[in-house]
């Protein structure tokens, strides 16, 4: 980090210098280029006009009739061979002799005029060449060439027509002045003007070539000098601008940067506990000064914010610690030690809660009301967080107290609703499913206050949704009364309770997990123990939800009624006589008995259990056990109680020969049992009455 800071030191100064240098260079190039273009344009135009004037003047001094005559005569002496003329001295001498013979006084006079014209312009116009030629198809024939060197073209010299003449139709209008550059002659400004006869027809072209090498050289020197001057001036301006930039921009910004960096790294305090920012004294009268004032204000705001943030952080840590404690307290309020009842072999129960926040509004509970009754609660408080958790704890305590006071589920919910509605200013509510299962008979009595429907599994079947009757939510309305309903569980039956966080779990596509997926997940692990079932459902929900956030608490409970399904243990009361008869009747329905035999078994159970209920325990209430064991030939039913010793077989059979008025009351039930069952035995052992009856298959 420090190395990066060192690299950044002075970068603003470097950037400002670079920007000024680039700007100066660009301006220098632009100004120099424009000056060069302007200079070249003016000079080229001057020389073009000059060459045109000279060519026009020279053309006006020529005799068109003589030029035509010279051209015709030179053509008459034979074709001109340029290669022989330059390489064959004899041919050259012969040709010159013929050509010179054609040069009369007028010819010499016009040639001298051109020489004089060219010589007089030397030093002023720098005429390089002046000549006269006649165009003949794709070649030209020189008539005059005012050149003092040996390279001068003689009368009759033929050369290919130049591209300028072809492109510009030079014989008719001449060739406007143009500038060219070639390796032999350098820079030239050339122009050709026609020589016209008396009728105005062009007969030849006078060409003037003015050397511009000196002009171009001087222009280049001028341009270089101009660039040098501009660069020198720009350099001086750069120094002045840079000094001003440093004073008004770079140095104040560096001060601001140093103060800000110091504030971040070491709080920027000096020996007098003053910050470097507060000591800034920048008076540039522009945005830099405004920035300085803003940074000073920012320092004050940051210090205030840090102080506030420190206090808020401390408060947040305190709240976090309390929230963590609340989470632990809530977890401790719910049953969380498993196996829940290690001494009991007739049941297995497991529950879990995964709150959407640190603490949630869902809760579950299960507890033994007595040795043979287990209460189970599944509830969902409106809202989330601490308020829901407090309301949940209160509701849980009230529900348990109402149940432990001996109330049925419906009565317990009615009482709790009255208690909550009496002081519910926040208008919170809770949905509750409350059930109490008789662990001996398997009869589940339940009441539902607006909660999710339970899912029940028969011993050999699948999990299925139980369509129960709903009441209104607890805390939603005063004066409500709830109703009980019953579910007959058998040994091996399972009960799954849950909150809406399970079916309403939502994935990233806004799809709900749904009750069908819940039942499918349950049935995939239906033969597992309750803890494994809940784990499988949670994994299915997590796989479905994926990376989507959890919006609701996820609470589940699974109960399994275990033990031998061939035995029923209930209180020896007249209310349970029908329960015992139905128990035996259900077993008989699964065996190869006739309808008559099934009725006889139910009548026998009704008579025998009724006797136990009426006489075995006197004014007290004890237990009666009904066990049914079947084999290949029939079923054996054993009825056991701990009441006073009583052998029903010792009772004398009634005299069926007497009329109804003459017979004694009673004794007919046992008599009917004896006559409808195949065998009937009684023993008294270990303080228990044991009555055994057997019915063989039809």
């Amino acid at each position: 980090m420090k190395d990066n800071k060192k690299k950044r030191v002075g970068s603003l100064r470097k950037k400002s210098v670079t920007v000024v240098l680039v700007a100066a260079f660009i301006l220098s190039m632009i100004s120099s280029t424009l000056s060069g273009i302007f200079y070249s344009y003016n000079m080229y135009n001057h020389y073009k006009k000059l060459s045109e004037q000279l060519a026009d003047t020279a053309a006006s001094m020529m005799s068109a009739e003589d030029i035509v005559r010279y051209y015709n005569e030179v053509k008459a002496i034979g074709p001109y061979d340029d290669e022989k003329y330059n390489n064959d001295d004899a041919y050259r001498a012969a040709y010159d002799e013929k050509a010179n013979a054609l040069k009369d006084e007028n010819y010499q006079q016009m040639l001298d005029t051109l020489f004089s014209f060219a010589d007089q312009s030397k030093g002023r116009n720098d005429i390089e060449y002046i000549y006269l030629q006649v165009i003949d198809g794709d070649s030209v024939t020189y008539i005059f060439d005012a050149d003092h060197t040996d390279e001068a073209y003689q009368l009759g010299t033929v050369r290919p027509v130049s591209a300028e003449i072809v492109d510009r139709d030079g014989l008719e209008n001449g060739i406007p002045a143009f500038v060219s550059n070639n390796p032999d002659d350098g820079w030239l400004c050339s122009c050709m003007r026609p020589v016209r006869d008396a009728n105005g027809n062009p007969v030849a072209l006078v060409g003037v070539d003015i050397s511009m090498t000196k002009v171009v050289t001087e222009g280049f020197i001028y341009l270089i000098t101009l660039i040098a001057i501009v660069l020198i001036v720009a350099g001086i301006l750069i120094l002045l601008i840079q000094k001003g930039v440093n004073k008004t921009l770079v140095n104040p910004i560096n001060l601001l940067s140093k103060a800000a960096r110091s504030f971040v790294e070491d709080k920027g305090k000096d020996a007098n506990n003053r910050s470097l920012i507060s000591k800034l004294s920048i008076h540039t009268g522009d945005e830099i000064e405004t920035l300085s004032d803003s940074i000073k204000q920012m320092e004050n705001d940051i210090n205030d914010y840090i102080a506030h943030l420190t206090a808020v952080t401390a408060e947040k840590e305190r709240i976090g610690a309390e929230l963590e404690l609340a989470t632990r307290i809530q977890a401790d309020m719910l049953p969380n030690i498993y196996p829940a009842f290690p001494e009991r072999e007739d049941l297995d129960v497991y529950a879990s809660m995964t709150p959407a926040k640190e603490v949630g509004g869902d809760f579950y509970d299960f507890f033994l009301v007595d040795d043979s009754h287990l209460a189970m609660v599944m509830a969902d408080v409106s809202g989330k967080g601490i308020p829901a958790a407090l309301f949940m704890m209160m509701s849980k305590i009230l529900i348990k107290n109402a149940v432990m006071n001996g109330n049925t589920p419906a009565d317990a919910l009615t009482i709790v609703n009255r208690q909550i509605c009496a002081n519910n200013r926040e208008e919170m509510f809770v949905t509750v499913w409350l059930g109490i299962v008789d662990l001996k008979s398997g009869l589940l009595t339940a009441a539902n206050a607006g909660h999710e429907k339970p899912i029940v599994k028969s011993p050999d079947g699948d999990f299925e949704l139980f369509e129960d009757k709903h009441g209104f939510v607890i805390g939603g309305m005063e004066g409500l009364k709830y109703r009980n309903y019953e579910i007959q569980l058998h040994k091996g039956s399972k009960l799954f309770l849950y909150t809406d966080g399970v079916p309403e779990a939502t994935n990233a596509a806004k799809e709900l997990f749904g009750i069908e997926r819940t039942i499918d997940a349950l049935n995939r692990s239906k033969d597992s123990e309750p803890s494994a079932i809940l784990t499988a459902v949670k994994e299915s929900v997590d796989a479905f939800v994926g990376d989507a956030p959890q919006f609701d608490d996820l609470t589940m409970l699974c109960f399994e009624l275990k033990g031998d399904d061939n035995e029923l243990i209930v209180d020896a009361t007249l209310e349970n006589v029908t329960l015992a008869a139905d128990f035996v009747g259900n077993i008989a329905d699964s065996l190869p008995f006739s309808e008559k035999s099934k009725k006889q078994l139910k009548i026998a159970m009704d008579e025998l259990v009724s006797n136990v209920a009426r006489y075995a325990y006197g004014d007290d209430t004890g237990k009666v056990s009904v066990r049914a064991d079947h084999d290949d030939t029939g079923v054996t039913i054993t009825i056991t109680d701990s009441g006073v010793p009583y052998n029903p077989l010792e009772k004398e059979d009634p005299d069926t020969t007497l009329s109804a008025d003459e017979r004694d009351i009673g004794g007919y039930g046992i008599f009917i049992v004896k006559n409808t069952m195949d065998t009937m035995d009684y023993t008294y052992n270990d303080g228990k009455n044991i009555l055994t009856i057997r019915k063989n298959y039809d």
Side-chain angles (χ1 to χ4, degrees):
M1 181 62 72
K2 292 182 178 180
D3 293 338
N4 291 336
K5 290 179 180 178
K6 290 180 180 179
K7 292 179 181 179
R8 291 197 296 266
V9 172
S11 60
L12 182 60
R13 181 179 288 107
K14 293 177 182 178
K15 289 179 181 178
S16 62
V17 171
T18 302
V19 169
V20 174
L21 282 174
V22 171
F25 177 78
I26 293 174
L27 290 175
S28 300
M29 294 299 100
I30 292 175
S31 61
S32 300
T33 301
L34 292 177
S35 298
I37 293 173
F38 182 75
Y39 173 84
S40 300
Y41 177 78
N42 288 333
M43 292 304 298
Y44 285 5
N45 282 343
H46 169 73
Y47 275 89
K48 286 179 180 179
K49 291 179 180 179
L50 178 62
S51 63
E52 290 176 352
Q53 292 173 358
L54 293 175
D56 286 335
T57 303
S60 65
M61 300 172 67
M62 298 292 103
S63 172
E65 291 76 7
D66 291 334
I67 293 173
V68 172
R69 180 170 55 84
Y70 298 142
Y71 173 73
N72 291 331
E73 291 176 351
V74 77
K75 294 292 287 184
I77 65 176
Y80 172 81
D81 189 333
D82 186 64
E83 183 178 355
K84 288 184 177 182
Y85 186 86
N86 292 321
N87 299 315
D88 188 342
D89 293 339
Y91 176 84
R92 181 171 184 165
Y95 186 86
D96 286 344
E97 182 180 357
K98 295 177 182 179
N100 289 333
L102 301 177
K103 297 177 182 179
D104 56 8
E105 182 178 354
N106 289 338
Y107 180 89
Q108 193 61 44
Q109 184 178 356
M110 284 189 288
L111 180 60
D112 291 341
T113 299
L114 292 178
F115 271 117
S116 175
F117 193 78
D119 293 339
Q120 290 177 4
S121 66
K122 288 289 185 181
R124 291 185 296 110
N125 303 320
D126 292 330
I127 293 180
E128 189 75 17
Y129 304 109
I130 185 168
Y131 49 88
L132 187 146
Q133 60 187 17
V134 176
I135 301 175
D136 185 10
D138 57 356
S139 63
V140 295
T141 302
Y142 280 85
I143 306 300
F144 300 109
D145 185 8
D147 186 358
H148 294 289
T149 67
D150 294 337
E151 297 178 355
Y153 292 130
Q154 300 299 316
L155 173 62
T157 301
V158 179
R159 286 287 182 269
V161 68
S162 66
E164 288 79 7
I165 296 175
V166 174
D167 295 340
R168 295 173 173 82
D169 192 17
L171 182 61
E172 180 66 27
N173 299 311
I175 300 176
F178 64 93
V179 177
S180 63
N181 181 26
N182 60 75
D184 296 330
D185 301 320
W187 290 90
L188 295 175
C189 180
S190 303
C191 179
M192 301 183 79
R193 283 290 187 259
V195 177
R196 301 181 185 277
D197 59 15
N199 296 322
N201 298 317
V203 297
L205 292 176
V206 175
V208 176
D209 295 334
I210 300 177
S211 176
M212 292 189 65
T213 301
K214 181 178 180 181
V215 174
V216 173
T217 302
E218 290 177 351
F220 180 75
I221 294 173
Y222 164 77
L223 184 60
I224 296 300
T225 304
L226 178 62
I227 292 175
I229 294 173
V230 171
L231 290 177
I232 292 172
V233 173
I236 296 173
L237 290 176
I238 287 172
L239 295 176
L240 295 176
I241 292 173
Q242 186 60 38
K243 184 176 180 181
V245 169
N246 288 341
K247 181 178 180 181
T248 60
L249 182 63
V250 176
N251 293 338
I253 289 179
N254 284 337
L255 289 175
L256 291 174
S257 175
K258 180 180 178 182
R261 185 169 61 251
S262 176
F263 178 78
V264 173
E265 292 177 350
D266 54 12
K267 305 305 180 185
K269 302 294 185 178
D270 59 13
N272 297 323
N273 202 34
R274 290 185 63 201
S275 70
L276 296 181
I277 293 178
S278 63
K279 293 170 62 178
L280 287 175
S281 179
I282 297 176
H283 303 286
T284 58
D286 54 17
E287 288 81 357
I288 301 298
E289 184 175 351
T290 301
L291 177 61
S292 175
D293 295 338
S294 299
I295 290 178
K296 290 180 181 180
Q297 181 62 42
M298 181 187 68
E299 179 196 24
N300 296 329
D301 294 342
I302 289 176
N303 287 330
D304 293 341
Y305 175 76
I306 290 174
H308 175 71
L309 183 61
T310 302
V312 170
T313 302
E315 180 65 15
K316 185 176 180 180
E317 290 176 353
R318 182 187 66 79
I319 294 175
E322 293 181 356
L323 192 60
E324 182 179 357
L325 178 60
T327 304
R328 293 200 301 269
I329 292 174
Q330 183 185 34
D332 293 340
M333 285 286 293
L334 305 179
N336 53 40
I337 299 176
Y338 299 98
F341 307 103
E343 74 283 357
R344 302 293 295 256
E345 297 182 357
D346 54 346
L347 67 96
D348 189 9
V349 62
Y350 192 88
S352 66
M353 184 181 74
T354 305
K357 293 187 176 181
E358 288 81 357
V359 291
D362 288 4
F363 71 92
Y364 64 86
D365 199 5
F366 53 83
F367 52 88
L368 287 170
V369 180
D370 53 41
D371 287 342
S372 60
H373 291 84
L374 176 72
M376 293 175 287
V377 182
M378 181 61 63
D380 185 359
V381 176
S382 60
K384 298 290 179 290
I386 295 295
L390 295 175
F391 196 81
M392 158 254 170
M393 292 181 184
M394 177 187 67
S395 302
K396 177 180 179 298
I397 293 172
L398 292 176
I399 293 171
K400 185 172 184 179
N401 287 341
V403 172
M404 294 302 293
N405 285 333
N407 293 291
T408 66
D411 292 339
L413 293 182
T414 301
I415 294 170
V416 173
N417 181 68
R418 183 173 64 251
Q419 292 172 333
I420 289 179
C421 288
N423 188 20
N424 188 16
R425 295 180 181 178
E426 301 301 324
E427 298 183 350
M428 298 184 71
F429 63 87
V430 56
T431 66
V432 182
W433 185 95
L434 171 60
I436 300 176
V437 60
D438 187 331
L439 299 173
K440 301 299 183 180
S441 66
L443 183 64
L444 171 66
T445 303
N448 193 329
H451 197 73
E452 304 294 320
K453 299 174 182 178
I455 301 176
V456 182
K457 175 189 176 300
S458 60
D460 298 322
D462 292 334
F463 277 99
E464 296 179 356
L465 190 68
F466 186 87
E467 298 289 345
D468 63 357
K469 297 179 180 179
H470 278 55
F472 199 54
V473 296
I474 299 295
M477 184 184 299
E478 296 183 12
L480 293 177
K481 290 186 178 181
Y482 297 89
R483 293 187 296 175
N484 291 320
Y485 66 87
E486 294 180 347
I487 302 175
Q488 180 61 56
L489 302 179
H490 301 286
K491 307 296 181 176
S493 294
K494 292 176 182 176
L495 173 69
F496 179 75
L497 306 174
Y498 55 97
T499 59
D500 57 4
V502 177
E504 294 180 5
T506 307
N507 61 14
K510 305 301 181 183
E511 296 177 320
L512 298 181
F513 187 67
I515 196 66
E516 293 183 0
R517 290 189 179 91
T518 303
I519 295 176
D520 290 342
L522 288 169
N523 285 326
R524 284 195 295 270
S525 57
K526 63 182 180 180
D527 296 327
S528 302
E529 59 184 15
S531 61
I533 290 176
L534 295 195
T535 299
V537 174
K538 179 67 165 56
E539 290 175 351
S540 296
V541 172
D542 291 342
F544 174 80
V545 171
D547 296 330
Q550 179 182 342
F551 289 106
D552 201 357
D553 303 336
L554 200 67
T555 307
M556 299 177 288
L557 182 149
C558 186
F559 164 77
E560 180 181 6
L561 183 63
K562 303 179 71 175
D564 190 352
D565 201 33
N566 294 327
E567 183 179 12
L568 172 69
I569 302 175
V570 295
D571 290 336
T573 63
L574 293 176
E575 290 80 5
N576 289 333
V577 172
T578 302
L579 187 64
D582 290 341
F583 169 73
V584 172
N586 290 334
I587 294 177
D589 287 340
S590 64
L591 299 175
F593 284 112
S594 65
E595 291 299 323
K596 179 180 178 181
S597 296
K598 294 177 183 178
K599 291 181 180 179
Q600 291 174 347
L601 283 169
K602 292 188 68 174
I603 292 171
M605 290 307 304
D606 184 279
E607 175 63 26
L608 297 177
V609 176
S610 295
N611 285 339
V612 175
R614 287 189 178 96
Y615 309 118
Y617 297 101
D619 295 334
D620 296 331
T621 300
K623 299 291 185 182
V624 59
S625 169
V626 179
R627 179 178 180 84
D629 297 301
H630 61 87
D631 52 30
D632 294 338
T633 60
V635 62
T636 300
I637 300 174
T638 304
I639 303 170
T640 306
D641 66 79
S642 301
V644 296
Y646 173 70
N647 183 1
L649 299 181
E650 294 178 351
K651 186 175 180 60
E652 185 177 351
D653 294 337
D655 187 356
T656 58
T657 63
L658 299 176
S659 64
D661 295 335
E662 296 175 330
R663 296 175 190 172
D664 294 332
I665 298 175
Y668 284 95
I670 297 298
F671 177 74
I672 292 174
V673 174
K674 288 180 182 179
N675 285 277
T676 56
M677 298 295 108
D678 292 307
T679 61
M680 184 173 181
D681 296 309
Y682 169 81
T683 60
Y684 184 81
N685 186 22
D686 196 19
K688 295 181 179 179
N689 293 300
I690 304 173
L691 181 64
T692 303
I693 60 175
R694 179 173 178 81
K695 182 70 173 176
N696 295 326
Y697 301 139
D698 297 327

